[in-house]
Coordinates of all heavy atoms in Angstrom, one line a residue:
F30 N 4.2 15.7 4.3 CA 2.9 15.7 5.0 C 2.0 16.9 4.6 O 2.5 18.0 4.7 CB 3.2 15.8 6.6 CG 3.8 14.5 7.2 CD1 5.1 14.3 7.2 CD2 2.9 13.5 7.7 CE1 5.6 13.1 7.8 CE2 3.4 12.4 8.2 CZ 4.8 12.1 8.2
W31 N 0.7 16.6 4.3 CA 0.0 17.6 3.7 C -1.5 17.4 4.0 O -1.8 16.4 4.6 CB 0.1 17.6 2.2 CG -0.4 16.5 1.5 CD1 0.2 15.2 1.5 CD2 -1.7 16.3 0.8 NE1 -0.7 14.3 0.8 CE2 -1.8 15.0 0.4 CE3 -2.6 17.2 0.4 CZ2 -2.9 14.6 -0.4 CZ3 -3.7 16.8 -0.3 CH2 -3.8 15.5 -0.8
A32 N -2.4 18.2 3.6 CA -3.8 18.1 3.7 C -4.5 18.8 2.6 O -4.0 19.8 2.0 CB -4.3 18.6 5.1
S33 N -5.7 18.3 2.2 CA -6.4 18.8 1.0 C -6.8 20.3 1.2 O -7.0 21.0 0.2 CB -7.6 17.9 0.6 OG -8.5 17.8 1.7
W34 N -7.1 20.6 2.4 CA -7.6 22.0 2.7 C -6.5 23.0 2.9 O -6.8 24.2 3.1 CB -8.5 22.0 3.9 CG -7.9 21.2 5.1 CD1 -8.1 19.9 5.4 CD2 -6.8 21.7 6.1 NE1 -7.2 19.5 6.5 CE2 -6.4 20.6 6.9 CE3 -6.2 22.9 6.2 CZ2 -5.5 20.8 7.9 CZ3 -5.2 23.1 7.2 CH2 -5.0 22.0 8.1
C35 N -5.2 22.6 2.8 CA -4.1 23.5 3.0 C -3.7 24.1 1.8 O -3.1 23.5 0.9 CB -3.0 22.7 3.7 SG -1.4 23.4 3.8
G36 N -3.8 25.5 1.7 CA -3.4 26.2 0.5 C -1.9 26.0 0.1 O -1.4 25.8 -0.9
P37 N -1.1 26.4 1.2 CA 0.4 26.2 0.9 C 0.8 24.8 0.5 O 1.7 24.5 -0.3 CB 1.1 26.5 2.2 CG 0.1 27.5 2.9 CD -1.2 26.9 2.5
C38 N 0.1 23.7 1.0 CA 0.2 22.3 0.6 C 0.0 22.2 -0.9 O 0.8 21.5 -1.6 CB -0.6 21.4 1.4 SG -0.3 21.4 3.2
K39 N -1.0 22.8 -1.4 CA -1.4 22.7 -2.9 C -0.3 23.3 -3.7 O 0.0 22.8 -4.7 CB -2.7 23.4 -3.1 CG -3.9 22.6 -2.5 CD -5.3 23.3 -2.7 CE -6.3 22.5 -2.0 NZ -7.7 23.3 -2.1
S40 N 0.2 24.5 -3.2 CA 1.4 25.1 -4.0 C 2.6 24.2 -4.0 O 3.5 24.4 -4.9 CB 1.6 26.5 -3.5 OG 2.2 26.5 -2.2
M41 N 2.8 23.4 -2.9 CA 3.9 22.6 -2.9 C 3.8 21.3 -3.7 O 4.8 20.7 -4.1 CB 4.2 22.1 -1.5 CG 5.0 23.2 -0.5 SD 6.7 23.4 -1.2 CE 7.5 21.8 -0.9
T42 N 2.7 20.9 -4.1 CA 2.5 19.7 -4.8 C 3.4 19.6 -6.2 O 4.1 18.7 -6.3 CB 1.0 19.4 -5.2 OG1 0.4 19.2 -3.9 CG2 0.8 18.2 -6.0
P43 N 3.3 20.6 -7.0 CA 4.1 20.5 -8.2 C 5.6 20.6 -7.9 O 6.4 20.0 -8.5 CB 3.7 21.7 -9.1 CG 2.9 22.6 -8.2 CD 2.4 21.8 -7.1
V44 N 6.0 21.4 -6.9 CA 7.4 21.5 -6.5 C 7.9 20.1 -6.0 O 9.0 19.6 -6.3 CB 7.5 22.5 -5.3 CG1 8.9 22.5 -4.7 CG2 7.2 23.9 -5.7
F45 N 7.1 19.5 -5.1 CA 7.4 18.1 -4.6 C 7.6 17.1 -5.7 O 8.5 16.3 -5.7 CB 6.4 17.7 -3.6 CG 6.8 16.5 -2.8 CD1 7.7 16.5 -1.8 CD2 6.2 15.2 -3.1 CE1 8.0 15.4 -1.1 CE2 6.5 14.1 -2.4 CZ 7.4 14.2 -1.3
E46 N 6.7 17.1 -6.7 CA 6.7 16.2 -7.9 C 8.0 16.5 -8.6 O 8.6 15.5 -9.1 CB 5.4 16.4 -8.7 CG 4.2 15.8 -8.0 CD 2.9 16.1 -8.6 OE1 2.9 16.8 -9.7 OE2 1.9 15.6 -8.1
Q47 N 8.3 17.7 -8.9 CA 9.6 18.1 -9.6 C 10.8 17.5 -9.0 O 11.7 16.9 -9.5 CB 9.6 19.5 -9.9 CG 8.6 20.1 -10.9 CD 8.6 21.5 -10.9 OE1 9.4 22.3 -10.3 NE2 7.5 22.1 -11.5
V48 N 10.8 17.7 -7.6 CA 12.0 17.3 -6.8 C 12.0 15.8 -6.9 O 13.2 15.2 -7.1 CB 11.9 17.8 -5.4 CG1 12.9 17.1 -4.5 CG2 12.1 19.4 -5.3
A49 N 10.9 15.1 -6.7 CA 10.9 13.7 -6.7 C 11.4 13.2 -8.1 O 12.1 12.2 -8.1 CB 9.5 13.2 -6.5
N50 N 11.0 13.8 -9.2 CA 11.5 13.4 -10.5 C 13.0 13.6 -10.6 O 13.7 12.8 -11.3 CB 10.7 14.1 -11.6 CG 9.3 13.7 -11.8 OD1 9.0 12.6 -11.4 ND2 8.4 14.6 -12.3
E51 N 13.5 14.7 -10.1 CA 15.0 14.9 -10.2 C 15.8 14.0 -9.3 O 16.9 13.6 -9.6 CB 15.3 16.3 -9.8 CG 15.0 17.3 -10.9 CD 15.7 18.6 -10.7 OE1 16.7 18.8 -9.8 OE2 15.2 19.7 -11.2
K52 N 15.3 13.6 -8.1 CA 15.9 12.8 -7.1 C 15.6 11.3 -7.2 O 15.9 10.6 -6.3 CB 15.7 13.3 -5.8 CG 16.1 14.8 -5.6 CD 17.7 14.8 -5.5 CE 18.3 16.1 -5.1 NZ 19.7 16.1 -5.0
V53 N 14.8 10.9 -8.2 CA 14.3 9.5 -8.2 C 15.4 8.5 -8.1 O 15.1 7.4 -7.5 CB 13.5 9.3 -9.6 CG1 14.4 9.3 -10.8 CG2 12.7 8.0 -9.5

Side-chain angles (χ1 to χ4, degrees):
F30 284 93
W31 70 287
S33 59
W34 47 263
C35 167
C38 297
K39 290 178 185 175
S40 70
M41 274 299 291
T42 296
V44 170
F45 190 74
E46 290 171 355
Q47 292 168 8
V48 170
N50 288 335
E51 277 193 26
K52 297 288 190 176
V53 67

